Amino acid sequence: MDAIQNIIQLLWDAFTQPIRIGEMSISVQLIVTLFFAFIAFVFISNFLSNLLRDKILVKLKFDEGSREAIATIFRYFTITVGCLLIPQAVGLDMRSFSFLAGGLGIGLGFGFQGLAQNFVSGLILLLERPVKVGDYIELDNLEGTIRKISIRSTIIVTNDGISIIVPNQILVNNKIINWSHGNIVSRIHIPVRVAYGSDPVLVTEVLLSAARQESRVLSHPKPQVWLTDFGENSVNFDLLVWIDLPKARLPIQSSLNYIVQNKLYQNNINIPVAQRDLWIRNIDQLRQTFYPHSSPQPPPIESGEIDNQNLTLQSLLRKVLYFQGFTDLELLGLIEMGYREAVPPHQFIFHEGDRGDAFHIILSGTVEILAETANKHIRDLTAGDFFGELALIMGIPRTAAVRTKETTILFVVSRDVFQRFLSSYPSLSDQIAEKLAERKEELVQRQKMLREMGILGDEDLEQNPLIWIKKRMKALFGI
């Protein structure tokens, strides 16, 4: 029994016996105490930083990147404080290590030069925040979302779900495209090449129609089409669209490419390939030389009337009286302001009381105007007529319902561009005012409603409806 006690006492003395190294005294007990103290302090630091990030900062409504940056800085700050305080708390004099600082400092400076650069770069990323957690970035050929910024490296998750660890100094020293920085609304370019001889107005219509078919493309700012240059084998266009989903940029581009290719095919617009065409001028003479007894070619068969739904928007607009004298460039500007919509028979375009959100011009077909509350048919409108202007000009809900009587093709101008539309086409603005003036009884009722709402003063519609309407259009749209 005494032998066991002697062994235990011997081990305890060895565990606690200080060893002098120069002016420093250190023991195994001190080393173990330091180790477990550091482990406990790191655990507490991580717990507090996670609590700060996931609870406190969330309640304070900080964004994800700010929460991660603040929590990371807090964690490393507390660990640094722990490295300074714990040794002194357990009785270790830090001044004893001063003799090691000079020699080790030089060696560590060379050996850990890259680590030091990444450490400083990590601090820059956390403090300046050129990128933050949750941002979608593009670095050389790498695209992905930042998932974590540590003091040495940053973790980026690509669109394929692969986590890539990038040293912080690369993010600091290289050019980065941050799609999420500031305003997340960004514009993307879809290059389109078409064959020479293609109608540029038709190409513009097709590309804008393709943009509107992709639901993730923003309607404001509006999509645009630029004719960029004339290539060796093609006329080159750019379809420019705005999105607010930077992470979905590549899928949106792919979707638009599919839609554009399908639209070009439907409208017989060729995408050129590098080739050489041989044109023979005197084909009839050559035919007679090689085939003297062949019969002449029959004349081409004239096609019948083309279905209006297969006509281009450019052709349909030219059928409308207001636009018959428009040049191709003027029609291009018109097409950029609106879009074509085909509505099946017996379908409501809008109901009485709906919010006025668009102006419609009938390109083909027939619609009927209905007073739904009174269950009364008011009138029919055909190609060249327009409707929906009253709610926009007077700033009131729809005064009647509109329903198609047959398949009807409409040119639709949305509310947000209606002002520019009227300003660009003052002759049409005058015709709209004249048409409204003919509906005097309805206007009197609507004027009374606006007076009751306190929107209008004591203007007298009875004197001259046309003048009152033009004043109203000027007040609302500056026309």
Side-chain angles (χ1 to χ4, degrees), residues 23 81 105 128 187 245 292-293 302 359 370 378 417:
E23 297 180 359
V81 171
E128 291 189 359
R187 187 170 67 180
L245 299 170
H293 303 294
E302 296 184 2
F359 169 70
L370 304 169
I378 300 176
V417 296

Side-chain angles (χ1 to χ4, degrees), residues 51-292:
L51 179 65
L52 177 66
R53 180 191 61 198
D54 299 333
K55 300 293 184 181
I56 299 175
L57 295 179
V58 169
K59 290 183 178 180
L60 295 176
K61 298 182 179 180
F62 281 79
D63 61 78
E64 181 184 7
S66 300
R67 296 197 304 268
E68 189 69 32
I70 294 173
T72 302
I73 293 173
F74 175 80
R75 181 167 60 251
Y76 287 114
F77 174 76
T78 53
I79 290 176
T80 302
V81 171
C83 291
L84 297 175
L85 296 181
I86 290 176
Q88 298 185 37
V90 297
L92 183 63
D93 188 1
M94 295 298 295
R95 291 176 297 178
S96 303
F97 290 97
S98 59
F99 75 97
L100 296 174
L104 290 178
I106 297 174
L108 291 175
F110 287 104
F112 295 96
Q113 183 178 5
L115 181 62
Q117 290 177 347
N118 287 321
F119 179 85
V120 174
S121 299
L123 291 177
I124 293 174
L125 292 177
L126 291 172
L127 294 174
E128 291 189 359
R129 299 179 64 210
V131 295
K132 59 183 183 296
V133 173
D135 283 356
Y136 185 78
I137 69 168
E138 183 177 347
L139 173 63
D140 294 331
N141 296 323
L142 171 65
E143 289 191 33
T145 303
I146 295 180
R147 281 288 172 259
K148 183 179 180 181
I149 299 177
S150 66
I151 208 67
R152 188 193 69 84
S153 61
T154 297
I155 298 177
I156 300 174
V157 180
T158 67
N159 295 326
D160 299 323
I162 300 173
S163 296
I164 298 180
I165 301 174
V166 180
N168 288 332
Q169 61 176 325
I170 293 179
L171 295 176
V172 171
N173 298 329
N174 289 273
K175 293 182 179 179
I176 301 174
I177 298 176
N178 188 347
W179 293 96
S180 305
H181 185 70
N183 185 10
I184 64 172
V185 176
S186 56
R187 187 170 67 180
I188 58 177
H189 295 236
I190 308 295
V192 179
R193 299 168 56 249
V194 300
Y196 276 100
S198 302
D199 184 351
V201 178
L202 176 58
V203 173
T204 300
E205 177 196 343
V206 168
L207 295 182
L208 291 176
S209 175
R212 294 186 184 97
Q213 194 170 329
E214 169 54 60
S215 59
R216 291 168 292 184
V217 169
L218 300 179
S219 58
H220 184 76
K222 298 191 294 80
Q224 291 180 299
V225 174
W226 289 355
L227 198 162
T228 55
D229 61 0
F230 299 94
E232 181 179 355
N233 300 302
S234 63
V235 181
N236 301 325
F237 291 83
D238 257 8
L239 171 61
L240 291 79
V241 299
W242 293 86
I243 62 173
D244 58 1
L245 299 170
K247 296 180 183 179
R249 181 176 61 87
L250 294 179
I252 292 174
Q253 285 181 331
S254 175
S255 174
L256 284 172
N257 284 331
Y258 273 110
I259 297 172
V260 167
Q261 194 277 337
N262 183 58
K263 291 282 187 181
L264 294 177
Y265 175 79
Q266 289 178 351
N267 288 274
N268 297 318
I269 300 174
N270 295 323
I271 300 176
V273 294
Q275 63 181 16
R276 290 289 183 267
D277 295 331
L278 177 63
W279 293 81
I280 302 176
R281 291 184 177 181
N282 302 321
I283 186 67
D284 293 334
Q285 294 181 8
L286 289 175
R287 186 184 293 112
Q288 290 297 324
T289 300
F290 292 100
Y291 304 100

